[in-house]
Amino acid sequence: MGYIVQSDEVIKNVTKELGNMLDSPMTQFLQLGAPVLMDYFNCSTYNSTTTPGTDTIDEVLGNNSPIRYHMIKDLPVYGALKSFLVDLTDNDGLYDMNMEIDDLTLLPSTVVPTPYDHLVYRFKDGSNERVFVFRVNAIKKATVKSHYFEQFSAKLQDIDSYGDVNQLEKQTVKRFRAKLNNFGTNIKCILEEEQYKYSEKIDEIINQLVEEYTDIFYSKKYNSLIFRGELEQGYISYDPWLTHFCITNKILVPRSDKQSQIVLVNIDDDDEYKKKYNRTIYHALETRKMDRFTQMLFVPTGFSKTVSNPFAYYGVDPACKIDIYVEDEIKYPRNIYTDFPFITSIVKNADENIRYGITENLIIRFFKEGTLLNHIDDSDIYSLENDIEMEHDAFTFRVIPMLIYVLSTLSEDIMRSYA
């Protein structure tokens, strides 16, 4: 089981989070039904030699067309498209080329439709691929609660002929991908093709690290991170400082469809706890500043007299809690918390070291640069994929979450840096 003292605060935070979810644009859009993923060709006003909606042109698609497109692959489109295979047929079961679908909807902050836009929908009909090409018609603004979004109609333009599809491809000047996991969040969800692939690679590495780490250290019985082997005595230990870092930064929330891990932290003295946490390497990593970092001492200890040990079960060795102290608060034992050479290098503002592995050197680089964006190359990616071996030791237990944090900020920086 997990354990927490401030239950009122937890209830308040959960209630607030649920309220935010219910009021979010994504939740409101779920009322529109399931979306259809389509290839969306959005007119690029920058690359086209005409302005959509203001000029009359002879040829929208063709070699002499002034229109150029940005193509967004797998863009979710809400509305009546789910049933259009039925709606588009006439009494003889043939597709009606005059059919127009109304009230199609795009999520806010994705794409602004124009009159020259096209949508391509592909699906399997037995062993054959069917292709439908629509062109955007009337466009209007609409709202769901306080959220503005774009709504439009689209007319069926072509069926199963790749002429229009091929011409759209010829007139495409830039390609994007919709990153579906980011829809409904504050993270950018439309990425350039190359950046999408880069982002997916980073997320795959994060997922793999999270999976291996939780396999080693996550205890379902205790619902927390447990290290079995602290110091020479081999204590079974619970580290509230590391656990707080993981909760706050959602370190153990995989970027895939796997179940999220939930860990709760015990706080005996909130003010004192925060003071100590703010002197750890974890807080330094969050702020990218080492000015408050102190190399603390630590001891495995029990829980307070007024709080029962949440990690004690009959017939099972209980876990102790890791507590940390500044040097003048304790004389014995002399156990240094996060006692790893690369942290000393960070304190001294030293460069990366060939003696360190990819984990330590990327964390050092992160402190020096403030981000890994534009500061990580293919050889680093290769090392992340092939050179990290997780062991049941103190280094893996306390440092791998730092690496996951650094890579997660890289993933988010990729989203923020591209329109």
Side-chain angles (χ1 to χ4, degrees):
M1 67 175 184
Y3 188 82
I4 194 154
V5 174
Q6 298 167 312
S7 58
D8 290 342
E9 188 65 24
V10 173
I11 293 172
K12 187 190 303 180
N13 290 339
V14 170
T15 302
K16 180 180 178 182
E17 188 67 24
L18 286 173
N20 291 338
M21 289 171 61
L22 291 172
D23 194 46
S24 71
M26 195 65 178
T27 301
Q28 300 300 324
F29 273 96
L30 291 177
Q31 301 174 25
L32 301 174
V36 172
L37 301 183
M38 307 186 77
D39 293 345
Y40 192 99
F41 291 82
N42 182 226
C43 177
S44 169
T45 55
Y46 179 81
N47 296 105
S48 299
T49 56
T50 186
T51 304
T54 61
D55 299 326
T56 300
I57 61 175
D58 296 327
E59 195 175 47
V60 175
L61 296 182
N63 295 332
N64 297 319
S65 173
I67 303 298
R68 295 295 178 266
Y69 291 100
H70 289 168
M71 193 274 272
I72 303 96
K73 186 172 181 58
D74 293 336
L75 184 69
V77 180
Y78 290 80
L81 279 167
K82 267 292 184 184
S83 59
F84 86 90
L85 283 176
V86 176
D87 296 339
L88 288 177
T89 58
D90 60 21
N91 295 331
D92 297 322
L94 301 175
Y95 289 106
D96 180 5
M97 291 299 297
N98 295 316
M99 176 61 71
E100 185 169 321
I101 303 177
D102 296 320
D103 298 331
L104 299 179
T105 303
L106 300 177
L107 285 172
S109 303
T110 55
V111 174
V112 177
T114 80
Y116 299 143
D117 288 1
H118 289 74
L119 301 88
V120 176
Y121 180 61
R122 307 168 191 266
F123 70 98
K124 287 288 186 179
D125 184 6
S127 61
N128 300 319
E129 182 184 63
R130 307 298 304 273
V131 179
F132 290 76
V133 179
F134 298 86
R135 178 175 167 181
V136 171
N137 276 348
I139 302 168
K140 63 181 179 180
K141 291 279 187 181
T143 61
V144 172
K145 282 198 171 182
S146 59
H147 306 294
Y148 286 91
F149 60 94
E150 305 285 347
Q151 209 167 50
F152 60 94
S153 61
K155 184 179 183 302
L156 184 61
Q157 180 168 295
D158 195 13
I159 298 176
D160 293 341
S161 168
Y162 281 85
D164 283 356
V165 175
N166 292 337
Q167 189 59 44
L168 283 165
E169 293 284 353
K170 289 180 182 179
Q171 291 176 220
T172 295
V173 294
K174 190 173 288 188
R175 299 178 184 278
F176 296 82
R177 288 284 294 269
K179 193 170 176 67
L180 301 179
N181 288 348
N182 292 349
F183 281 89
T185 72
N186 293 324
I187 305 175
K188 194 175 296 297
C189 48
I190 306 296
L191 293 178
E192 290 187 44
E193 186 73 31
E194 289 304 312
Q195 292 310 121
Y196 174 87
K197 294 177 181 177
Y198 181 31
S199 172
E200 287 290 288
K201 176 61 68 177
I202 296 299
D203 284 353
E204 286 175 10
I205 293 171
I206 292 172
N207 284 337
Q208 185 63 34
L209 291 173
V210 169
E211 183 174 346
E212 292 184 25
Y213 185 84
T214 52
D215 283 347
I216 297 173
F217 297 109
Y218 180 74
S219 169
K220 291 182 179 179
K221 177 180 290 185
Y222 296 128
N223 192 32
S224 193
L225 297 174
I226 298 294
F227 177 41
R228 302 174 184 274
E230 195 77 73
L231 302 176
E232 293 180 358
Q233 294 86 344
Y235 292 110
I236 302 172
S237 64
Y238 158 74
D239 188 333
W241 323 100
L242 167 67
T243 306
H244 176 82
F245 173 73
C246 290
I247 296 171
T248 303
N249 298 290
K250 301 180 179 178
I251 299 298
L252 298 185
V253 178
R255 303 283 177 110
S256 64
D257 295 330
K258 299 169 187 171
Q259 183 179 359
S260 300
Q261 312 294 348
I262 299 174
V263 284
L264 302 178
V265 63
N266 172 271
I267 303 174
D268 289 331
D269 186 335
D270 190 57
D271 291 337
E272 187 63 26
Y273 177 89
K274 289 179 180 178
K275 288 178 183 177
K276 288 184 176 181
Y277 180 79
N278 288 345
R279 301 174 78 166
T280 66
I281 190 63
Y282 302 117
H283 183 260
L285 191 67
E286 292 166 336
T287 60
R288 285 107 160 136
K289 296 179 181 178
M290 295 292 287
D291 54 337
R292 300 180 68 180
F293 171 74
T294 303
Q295 194 64 281
M296 310 281 277
L297 302 177
F298 82 97
V299 292
T301 185
F303 289 76
S304 68
K305 295 180 180 179
T306 59
V307 178
S308 61
N309 188 338
F311 305 110
Y313 287 85
Y314 180 77
V316 179
D317 291 334
C320 56
K321 182 179 67 173
I322 296 299
D323 211 346
I324 55 178
Y325 306 87
V326 294
E327 189 169 348
D328 58 1
E329 291 178 324
I330 187 170
K331 301 300 180 184
Y332 180 83
R334 308 294 297 174
N335 305 315
I336 300 177
Y337 185 63
T338 58
D339 184 21
F340 308 114
F342 83 96
I343 293 180
T344 302
S345 297
I346 295 172
V347 172
K348 295 179 179 180
N349 198 30
D351 293 330
E352 298 170 38
N353 195 308
I354 194 172
R355 293 178 298 136
Y356 298 147
I358 186 64
T359 297
E360 301 100 304
N361 280 329
L362 284 184
I363 295 172
I364 292 172
R365 195 181 308 170
F366 181 79
F367 271 102
K368 276 186 168 292
E369 305 294 345
T371 179
L372 290 184
L373 188 66
N374 301 321
H375 297 288
I376 188 169
D377 57 28
D378 290 342
S379 64
D380 297 321
I381 299 296
Y382 179 86
S383 293
L384 286 167
E385 292 179 314
N386 298 280
D387 297 342
I388 295 179
E389 296 184 4
M390 292 199 197
E391 304 289 345
H392 194 107
D393 55 25
F395 176 87
T396 302
F397 182 57
R398 294 195 167 95
V399 176
I400 289 299
M402 297 172 64
L403 175 63
I404 294 172
Y405 174 85
V406 167
L407 293 176
S408 296
T409 61
L410 170 61
S411 180
E412 293 172 4
D413 287 344
I414 293 170
M415 308 301 167
R416 296 190 184 100
S417 62
Y418 288 85

